[in-house]
Amino acid sequence: MPNRAACRLRLASVSLSTPRPLESGLAIEVRGLTHSYRSDGRELRVLGDLDFNVEPGGYTSITGASGAGKTTLLTLLGGLEPPHAGCVQVGSYDLRLLSGDDLAAYRRSSVGFVFQHSGLLETLTALENVELAFTLSGTSQRRRRHKAKTLLSAVGLSERAIHQPAQLSGGERQRVAIARALANRPGLVLADEPTGNLDEASAERVVALLEELHATSRCTLVLITHNPSIAARADQRLLLTGGKLTPA
Amino acid sequence: MSWRDALALARKGVTRRLGRAFLTVLSVALAAALLTALLTIAQTGRTEVLRQLAKGGPLAGIKVVAAAPDPAQIANDNARPGPPKDLGDDAVRAIAGLPEVDSVVPVVTSRMIFLPPDPPVRADTPKQPSAKVPRFFFETMVGVDMNKSSLLPVTLLAGRLPSAESLTEVAVTTGYLERLELNPLEPEAVLGTELEMGSPRVFESLGDQPLRAQWQRTVIVGVVAQEAAPGQVLAPIQQATLGRDWTRQSDAEPEGDFSIPTSPYSGLVVVARGLDSIGKVRTQITRIGYSTSAPENLIASVQRYLRVIEIVLASIGAIALVIASLGIASALLAAIRERRREIGVLKAIGARDRDVLRIFLIEASLIGAIGGAVGTLAGALIAQAVGSVVNGYLIGQGLLPIDLDLSPLIIAGGVIGSTVLAFAAGTVPARRAARLPAKEAMGVV
Ligand SMILES: Nc1ncnc2c1ncn2[C@@H]1O[C@H](COP(=O)(O)OP(=O)(O)O)[C@@H](O)[C@H]1O
Ligand SMILES: [Mg+2]
């Protein structure tokens, strides 16, 4: 398979310590990605020989039936799990070569996650949730509070800084989550059905915010959604079926 | 993530979810309370029992009498003395010079005739006893240096001790009250009453009735329990010396109630460096040639019993703490199952395995620390409550109340012990949390 060969070639030339280019999104290059789950002794193949490219700073939407493997693709792109086979290259990171703390460092510095559930820590306030991302990246205590406040006001929630997630609406929670995802200026933002639990107006506001921040930070944005009108707004629109991505 | 950041995060995790941690904290608190209360009561009991054994003096006190040692009695706590033998300043110097002796206090006794007042109680005493007061009686006055009362087996029950230089102040024992058929539970009644006493002397020239006394008026200023020497009146040593010197000038041997003393001191109270030196010091005094007694065997066996009781009580408390730790471990394991997604999110936003480990270890320790602090405090209060109930009973029985031995060591041990145990209990759940896969963040299957 030519794809595999190209991938191996790239492996040899990429050094782990290569710094990612600042101030711009990360390119995504996926070749021959295969991933399966084992349950009850049977192997369930979710992604099969999938190829996928996103330009640095690109905006891609992915749609697909429930259970098609969209979330699985995001966990692999975001380094939450190593791919079983195939090559996943994000910027200068070859995710097959990373594990443990290196993978954690990749997620910390290069990836911003927005989940369908907001993924906010229930015991922290909105501000503290955003601060947590800075804490993890080792930002000094003085600066992290200031930066978190700036981010919260950028998503229009400076008024709700001291509220805990349970006191916020679904849309507000997602906006806090977006602020947190963008805290460390990631080169790649991965959003897994961020509007799945929201009413139309909130959904629109959340997507508009994501698009605005994508435009200003020039990060690469991969957005998974069930909503065709939202999917239609991306530069690149893909459909995940049968373990492969095809143009939508 | 630094320990400090992890602490801040864990603190919020515990305190803002206290409702959930409540039962766990409570179980730790109860265990710590039990441990603290048991240990405090055990330690107070120990202190009190030993205080009783020491009769108000130092625990390492040894009584020396003006008699030769009986070889068959040497190791006994209450050795029967051999034949009388004079005990003077040479012997005091020799004993005081022994390497493991802390102090030597001489005791002088004198047989006297006492004329109690009638009535034998203060005028303002509410209930006058109807007892028949004897016109006079023979009794022994025990003279000691009042400045050294802390080195003597003397416990003040009412009033005060006579001042060291006084020739007119004395204290009496509860034996005196019983002799006069007074209630020994109301020692205050005799305070301030006048006791007339005379040192007897035999004048051979007086023929049929050869006894004459040198009379002296004294005031009873205190009531004591004392074991310095047998006798119901405790006085500064000069009073006893003066009386004895008068009696010594008798020119014939008296009959009955008293004999002519020859020894300068009737006994000594020797205090050894510590409980461990009692045996050695007794042997050395025996070698110098005097009979000794000390409750060393009694103290040793009582201490063994006390140790056993302490071990049993501490084990009960420790078992409670271990059960509480298991509770922490199982509560944390359950919490981790519930918080899989939260842990996944932490990892998704960049936390390393060891960051997650830290957070959960600290959460466990915090639960232990909070429970330990609350519990130790509660335990101290429980011990205090038990103490005041016990004291109420003791005072009702006319006994001295006990002081609660609330050792800072027990309190620190309770808090630190709970924290450390909780930390240990947290290691398994924390490791499991740290190893959870990051993809749990997605909240899928
Ligand atoms: N950890 C897992 N173990 C077993 N099967 C899984 C696991 N995660 C996902 N799957 C299965 O993989 C398939 C794809 O899941 P997912 O990526 O969540 O799809 P989508 O996000 O498109 O709905 C589903 O059939 C799902 O049941
Ligand atoms: Mg999904």
Side-chain angles (χ1 to χ4, degrees), chain B residues 25-43 309-324 371-384 386 406 410-411 413-415 418:
Chain B
V25 171
L26 188 67
S27 71
V28 179
L30 283 176
L34 187 64
L35 185 68
T36 308
L38 288 179
L39 280 182
T40 302
I41 290 167
Q43 188 161 339
I309 292 171
E310 263 168 32
I311 289 172
V312 168
L313 292 184
S315 310
I316 294 173
I319 289 170
L321 262 184
V322 168
I323 293 173
V374 171
T376 306
L377 190 75
L381 293 178
I382 291 171
Q384 214 125 43
V386 171
L406 206 56
I410 292 179
I411 291 174
V415 178
S418 312

Side-chain angles (χ1 to χ4, degrees), chain B residues 28 43 67-68 75 95 107 133 138 157 170 182 199 219 222 240 248 251 285 287-288 301 311 320 360 368 370 423 434:
Chain B
V28 179
Q43 188 161 339
I95 292 169
V107 180
V133 177
F138 273 89
L157 300 178
V170 297
L182 297 172
S199 317
V219 177
R248 235 156 108 179
D251 34 43
I285 295 174
R287 213 169 289 146
I288 292 173
S301 65
I311 289 172
F360 277 87
I370 297 173
F423 182 92

Side-chain angles (χ1 to χ4, degrees), chain B residues 140-223:
Chain B
T140 303
M141 170 187 274
V142 178
V144 293
D145 183 347
M146 287 296 168
N147 288 327
K148 294 184 177 160
S149 61
S150 69
L151 300 173
L152 296 167
V154 172
T155 312
L156 189 63
L157 300 178
R160 60 175 173 83
L161 290 177
S163 46
E165 307 300 328
S166 173
L167 292 177
T168 55
E169 291 177 354
V170 297
V172 294
T173 65
T174 45
Y176 169 87
L177 300 177
E178 278 157 13
R179 181 194 279 279
L180 299 185
E181 293 179 27
L182 297 172
N183 183 0
L185 299 185
E186 287 164 15
E188 285 82 8
V190 300
L191 296 183
T193 57
E194 225 173 52
L195 188 59
E196 208 170 335
M197 55 198 190
S199 317
R201 179 167 163 186
V202 180
F203 291 88
E204 203 171 19
S205 51
L206 291 176
D208 250 9
Q209 298 219 312
L211 216 56
R212 289 294 178 273
Q214 191 181 48
W215 294 101
Q216 177 187 345
R217 279 166 195 270
T218 59
V219 177
I220 298 174
V221 296
V223 177

Side-chain angles (χ1 to χ4, degrees), chain A residues 33 36 70 79-80 124 147 161 164 214 217 227 233:
Chain A
L33 177 60
S36 32
K70 306 182 294 296
L80 295 180
L124 301 184
K147 286 180 145 195
Q164 279 170 245
H214 162 252
S217 76
N227 185 325
R233 290 151 71 158

